[in-house]
Amino acid sequence: PIWIFKYFPSQDGPSHIHNSYVLKELHQEQSTLLRECYKLNLTLFPNWFSLPFMAALMYIFPPLVTEKILLSIIISLLPLSIFYFLDAVHKGKNLYGFLGFLFSYHYLLHMGFYNFSLSVPLFFFALGYFMKNKEEMSLDKVALLNLLSILTYFCHIVTYILLILSLTLLSVTSFYRKPKWILGLLFYMLPLYFIMANYLLSSASGQTHNYWNKSQLWNYFINTKSLVYYTDSQQTITRAMLVLLGLLFIAALYNRIRQRKIISKGDQFLLISGIFTAIYFILPWEIGPGGWINDRVNLFIFLVLLPF
């Protein structure tokens, strides 16, 4: 308690810093009281990556500085991952990556969901890496793709499920004329499917579900409220962004018709964005102790559409 009130004058201090500090001090000889109250959980569950990362940094920096470092990494990685993702799909055409700066300061980051916020750039780095190397997936590249995916799992399960779904769809749509390639890629991803199935089967049963009504879902979607974190006046910016994306969407369709080009490389991401939108409207807002599910899915819908 002394440590908590020393760093946080409010009653509810940031849990990430507190838990990371406890993790750092738990094995110390003098921390007998901590060991009476806390037990180290070594289960490989999602949503914990930021804790050992911050605990390690606390050997060098004060707790509040470690949080600033983590936030700087989160805010910097998202636009970088979007630039990388777009360049991997269309070499040299990554101008829309600047939208990543707008998405960096999203609502869920301000809620303190650091692990989920870390998972978003990992999602786009993994998709970009797959698109860049899908024609020549050697064992070392498969290992790196799996490592990126597993890091995403340790950050957040929702992002991990969306990533595995996206990689599966990209494998099928990229090589639908080469069934052996599809089977090979899916075989390499078997460990990732096993991790996802194991988590869902062990945690989803018996959980209560809480749904938003349709008007709430549409209002959140139209105003892209996953980016609204201070006041509703920020909806002016999100609406302007949606108008811009809508005009770009129409321009892309017009250009496709004018060039008589029915199928293009970016169509895969139109399909993925459409599926993410359906998932957004179907899933509950809360499953058991895990909430903000619609908010999390909403954050990906427009970013994954950019290659189209």
Side-chain angles (χ1 to χ4, degrees):
I2 294 173
W3 182 86
I4 293 174
F5 287 108
K6 177 182 176 183
Y7 286 100
F8 312 111
S10 63
Q11 186 176 357
D12 298 319
S15 61
H16 277 77
I17 307 182
H18 172 261
N19 293 339
S20 299
Y21 183 83
V22 169
L23 183 62
K24 169 182 173 286
E25 295 293 321
L26 196 60
H27 69 283
Q28 300 292 338
E29 185 178 348
Q30 68 274 18
S31 302
T32 54
L33 183 58
L34 279 179
R35 285 192 289 274
E36 290 178 10
C37 301
Y38 293 90
K39 182 180 179 181
L40 186 61
N41 185 357
L42 295 177
T43 307
L44 298 179
F45 55 88
N47 205 33
W48 63 262
F49 182 80
S50 67
L51 300 182
F53 177 79
M54 291 179 68
L57 283 179
M58 285 181 187
Y59 284 99
I60 306 172
F61 303 104
L64 294 181
V65 175
T66 65
E67 185 186 31
K68 290 180 182 293
I69 293 172
L70 179 65
L71 286 169
S72 299
I73 291 172
I74 291 171
I75 292 167
S76 303
L77 279 183
L78 184 54
L80 289 175
S81 68
I82 301 301
F83 279 117
Y84 176 82
F85 166 60
L86 293 175
D87 191 69
V89 181
H90 299 293
K91 185 68 176 175
K93 297 182 179 180
N94 56 7
L95 178 65
Y96 300 143
F98 284 101
L99 272 176
F101 290 101
L102 177 62
F103 278 76
S104 285
Y105 293 92
H106 52 81
Y107 164 68
L108 295 153
L109 175 64
H110 285 266
M111 285 292 293
F113 299 145
Y114 294 164
N115 283 302
F116 171 78
S117 299
L118 273 171
S119 74
V120 179
L122 285 173
F123 172 93
F124 287 105
F125 277 127
L127 280 193
Y129 188 79
F130 176 85
M131 293 300 295
K132 192 180 286 283
N133 299 285
K134 63 181 180 178
E135 301 287 348
E136 43 184 28
M137 271 291 180
S138 56
L139 285 177
D140 57 333
K141 291 177 180 177
V142 169
L144 185 52
L145 179 64
N146 280 6
L147 177 62
L148 284 169
S149 301
I150 291 169
L151 282 176
T152 305
Y153 168 81
F154 285 134
C155 287
H156 206 274
I157 187 62
V158 170
T159 309
Y160 179 76
I161 292 172
L162 294 178
L163 174 60
I164 301 307
L165 175 61
S166 301
L167 290 174
T168 303
L169 288 170
L170 288 173
S171 299
V172 173
T173 54
S174 296
F175 303 110
Y176 62 92
R177 293 179 179 175
K178 301 177 181 178
K180 290 183 179 179
W181 283 51
I182 296 174
L183 292 174
L185 288 169
L186 298 183
F187 175 76
Y188 290 141
M189 291 172 59
L190 275 179
L192 305 180
Y193 290 121
F194 175 79
I195 291 171
M196 180 175 68
N198 179 67
Y199 178 85
L200 292 176
L201 291 173
S202 62
S203 62
S205 59
Q207 301 283 9
T208 57
H209 295 60
N210 180 22
Y211 288 85
W212 276 352
N213 59 48
K214 293 300 181 185
S215 61
Q216 284 178 298
L217 287 168
W218 274 110
N219 179 53
Y220 198 95
F221 182 84
I222 292 172
N223 293 294
T224 322
K225 285 194 174 181
S226 55
L227 300 184
V228 177
Y229 45 84
Y230 283 130
T231 68
D232 284 344
S233 62
Q234 290 182 310
Q235 293 177 17
T236 304
I237 299 172
T238 60
R239 287 167 183 163
M241 181 197 70
L242 284 181
V243 170
L244 172 64
L245 290 178
L247 292 173
L248 291 172
F249 186 87
I250 294 169
L253 289 177
Y254 171 76
N255 193 51
R256 190 75 61 83
I257 294 170
R258 187 171 59 86
Q259 295 179 352
R260 297 180 181 179
K261 194 175 183 181
I262 306 302
I263 299 177
S264 177
K265 196 174 183 180
D267 291 355
Q268 298 165 296
F269 297 97
L270 174 62
L271 173 63
I272 292 173
S273 179
I275 291 173
F276 282 10
T277 303
I279 290 172
Y280 164 81
F281 281 101
I282 292 170
L283 285 182
W285 182 86
E286 181 181 41
I287 300 177
W292 288 270
I293 297 173
N294 305 104
D295 307 68
R296 299 178 202 274
V297 177
N298 180 264
L299 192 66
F300 291 93
I301 291 172
F302 300 107
L303 287 176
V304 84
L305 182 63
L306 292 179
F308 175 79

